[in-house]
Amino acid sequence: MSCGFTLSLQECLQVADSLGWSPLWQSFSPPPLQYSKHSAMADPGLYRPPPAVRGMTVLDREAFTQMIHVPALRVPTTVLNKVVKSLKKIALQRPGIKRVVDDGQPVGGSGQHRLLLLDPHCVASAESFGHEETAALTAFGVSPELHRYELQLTYENLKSEEVLRAVLPEGQDVTSGFSRVGHIAHMNLRDHQLPYKSLIGQVIMDKNPGVTCVVNKTNTIDSTYRNFQMEVLAGESNMVAKVRENGVLYEFDFSRVYWNPRLSTEHERVVSLLRCGDIVLDVFAGVGPFAIPAARRGCVVLANDLNPEAHRWLQHNARLNKVDAAITTFNLDGREFLRGPARERLPGLMRGPGAVHVVMNLPALALDFLDTFRGLLGPEPDQGLSCEATMPQVHCYGFSKEDDPQQDMVQRAEASLGVSLQGRCSVHMVRNVAPNKEMMCVNFRMPREVLYTISNSEEPSPKRQRCEETE
């Protein structure tokens, strides 16, 4: 429905005031010319939710329907496309709403004009148009006179954050963020949001095409298998996800293995350091986010994980990506893997032409596992077989809550190894996990004096530190 009459702004204000419409029309009064790229995001003033939706715990989509009024320009159809392009910064942008509508003229009219709906946060009057918009209107012969268009706004036209902000108690944090794992949206709701969890799940599913399951984490990550308990908030209970990361396809049961979509950049960074023919020992491989792309790059991979489910999906993903011939998998504790298969193969691998990389991505505990390398290969062989260039390159991850996380990572690695790494390591900041908690990666070439038993040397036994997993 539209109002086809045209009035000046002052006349509209007088009519609106006499009919008690002033609150609606006053929504057209932002500071003029504020239509930067951020203005289109500042939509709360356009939508004032009906009071009845506040505190809703069962989603009632019809309750969000209401009528609003927006400014519009009457544009000849002959120049419509050009005007729309020129005024795209100030045109109304709402999910499911057409910016161009009929001009409301009686049936049988000329049909030579359409209405272009404008964002009331950008346009309050003809004087609100910027220089470029004014020049375009003049060039195309379009009058800057504003029309008042009545628009029905429904649940489908709202963003998820707007719906949740309307429902949750005023003043409380609103979350519409989640991690996307295939068809699954994974949320970490706070205590005050739990009474609305079913509604939140339904809204997230409604507003994100392709999401057919919304889950909430109900406990911290289990340091043994790196999975966590979860509750289905909305949608199907199918937890087998299909994910494409950096061009590689993975499949896994998200409820029984560890997967973090926020680590895709880190996976890509480490894999980019590898060359065809290199050897990768992935101590905590999970479902293969390091191992699979390393094998695709032409590396020989020994991949291990303690979780039987992760090991099963690791083998599945190796076959899925046709690199199973390049990956040998193990289902062992990290120390058992290093003291068994890795120890048996390392001397021969270190004599080969490729560099050896050891990836240890278990941030809660990996630094503690570094002590396994102390004397791992026994007595030192002939000097020519153990030069520094043949030593494995280690990429070890950890969490830090210290003021200087880089120094903390180095000190804890040194404590486990029993040697100084000063001047022979680097530390990379992976991501911020939580306030005052960083995920870091310390990179170094394994010192010869650690890997081999050197006679007449005294090895200190420092107390190891633990970094608890609270992610």
Side-chain angles (χ1 to χ4, degrees):
M1 177 180 178
S2 65
C3 299
F5 57 85
T6 58
L7 298 173
S8 69
L9 177 62
Q10 185 61 37
E11 290 172 328
C12 284
L13 285 172
Q14 291 173 351
V15 172
D17 185 62
S18 66
L19 296 177
W21 291 354
S22 54
L24 290 172
W25 187 251
Q26 285 169 5
S27 66
F28 289 19
S29 303
L33 301 180
Q34 293 188 358
Y35 57 89
S36 68
K37 63 180 180 180
H38 302 291
S39 295
M41 299 170 61
D43 279 346
L46 176 62
Y47 173 65
R48 294 180 173 84
V53 306
R54 182 74 66 189
M56 178 187 295
T57 56
V58 177
L59 183 60
D60 178 4
R61 297 174 181 83
E62 296 300 322
F64 291 85
T65 301
Q66 68 173 358
M67 305 303 295
I68 63 171
H69 294 81
V70 296
L73 283 174
R74 192 164 183 261
V75 181
T77 55
T78 54
V79 294
L80 182 60
N81 290 337
K82 295 179 180 179
V83 172
V84 170
K85 183 177 180 179
S86 299
L87 271 60
K88 62 182 179 180
K89 291 182 180 180
I90 61 174
L92 183 65
Q93 298 186 35
R94 276 269 140 196
I97 291 181
K98 296 180 179 180
R99 290 179 292 180
V100 177
V101 297
D102 292 338
D103 66 353
Q105 294 298 320
V107 177
S110 63
Q112 296 179 354
H113 291 80
R114 295 289 186 273
L115 291 180
L116 172 61
L117 306 186
L118 305 177
D119 186 345
H121 290 91
C122 304
V123 180
S125 67
E127 287 72 31
S128 299
F129 294 117
H131 175 73
E132 293 182 3
E133 287 81 16
T134 300
L137 294 177
T138 301
F140 298 130
V142 177
S143 169
E145 187 175 20
L146 293 179
H147 297 244
R148 190 167 184 257
Y149 185 83
E150 186 177 49
L151 179 69
Q152 184 182 62
L153 197 66
T154 69
Y155 171 83
E156 284 68 29
N157 309 136
L158 303 175
K159 303 169 187 175
S160 57
E161 184 176 350
E162 292 173 324
V163 174
L164 298 180
R165 192 174 299 281
V167 170
L168 269 63
E170 291 187 77
Q172 291 190 358
D173 292 336
V174 173
T175 180
S176 58
F178 57 88
S179 295
R180 179 79 178 263
V181 182
H183 67 284
I184 303 168
H186 166 221
M187 308 191 76
N188 292 323
L189 297 182
R190 299 181 180 179
D191 289 344
H192 73 270
Q193 297 161 344
L194 293 179
Y196 308 92
K197 60 185 181 182
S198 297
L199 180 144
I200 292 173
Q202 189 62 57
V203 171
I204 295 300
M205 197 164 65
D206 287 347
K207 300 299 181 179
N208 295 275
V211 170
T212 59
C213 174
V214 182
V215 300
N216 181 47
K217 184 169 71 174
T218 58
N219 68 349
T220 57
I221 290 177
D222 184 319
S223 293
T224 303
Y225 287 164
R226 292 198 292 177
N227 54 9
F228 48 81
Q229 296 297 316
M230 62 178 69
E231 176 186 14
V232 177
L233 304 182
E236 60 181 317
S237 298
N238 176 22
M239 292 292 113
V240 177
K242 296 182 179 181
V243 176
R244 186 172 294 277
E245 179 185 273
N246 300 324
V248 180
L249 181 62
Y250 301 91
E251 295 179 353
F252 49 84
D253 186 335
F254 184 55
S255 67
R256 305 189 68 180
V257 303
Y258 178 80
W259 180 269
N260 191 335
R262 295 185 177 93
L263 294 179
S264 62
T265 300
E266 180 61 14
H267 297 153
E268 187 175 35
R269 182 188 73 86
V270 172
V271 171
S272 70
L273 303 175
L274 308 175
R275 295 177 300 176
C276 182
D278 284 352
I279 298 92
V280 176
L281 278 62
D282 195 347
V283 185
F284 313 106
V287 299
F290 285 111
I292 305 296
R296 282 166 54 97
R297 202 174 179 88
C299 298
V300 175
V301 182
L302 304 182
N304 173 73
D305 202 275
L306 176 62
N307 182 352
E309 277 295 307
H311 178 255
R312 184 170 72 86
W313 286 106
L314 169 63
Q315 293 178 318
H316 171 82
N317 289 322
R319 293 190 297 270
L320 183 66
N321 289 279
K322 297 180 173 57
V323 292
D324 47 310
I327 302 178
T328 305
T329 66
F330 303 88
N331 181 207
L332 300 169
D333 172 79
R335 281 192 172 85
E336 293 178 6
F337 169 71
L338 291 171
R339 290 170 178 161
R343 179 184 179 184
E344 294 170 3
R345 292 166 172 79
L346 260 178
L349 295 174
M350 291 167 59
R351 293 188 184 96
V356 178
H357 293 260
V358 180
V359 180
M360 304 178 71
N361 182 25
L362 182 64
L365 299 171
L367 289 167
D368 288 349
F369 279 75
L370 288 174
D371 66 355
T372 311
F373 288 97
R374 297 169 70 170
L376 183 67
L377 298 187
E380 184 178 19
D382 294 339
Q383 184 69 26
L385 297 178
S386 61
C387 65
E388 294 295 336
T390 65
M391 294 295 104
Q393 185 72 29
V394 179
H395 313 274
C396 186
Y397 293 84
F399 293 124
S400 178
K401 296 181 179 180
E402 301 301 319
D403 293 336
D404 189 341
Q406 292 193 4
Q407 182 181 32
D408 176 51
M409 287 288 294
V410 174
Q411 289 177 347
R412 288 161 57 202
E414 291 175 336
S416 285
L417 294 168
V419 299
S420 171
L421 293 177
Q422 297 302 317
R424 46 182 178 176
C425 73
S426 63
V427 181
H428 174 73
M429 207 287 276
V430 178
R431 72 185 190 96
N432 176 259
V433 177
N436 302 316
K437 182 179 179 182
E438 311 292 342
M439 180 177 175
M440 314 291 290
C441 179
V442 58
N443 308 280
F444 59 92
R445 192 174 295 280
M446 182 63 67
R448 288 174 49 252
E449 62 268 31
V450 173
L451 203 55
Y452 295 101
T453 302
I454 301 176
S455 60
N456 300 323
S457 66
E458 296 183 1
E459 295 183 354
S461 299
K463 181 180 179 181
R464 299 198 307 272
Q465 302 181 40
R466 293 178 67 86
C467 180
E468 294 301 326
E469 171 75 67
T470 60
E471 186 181 6

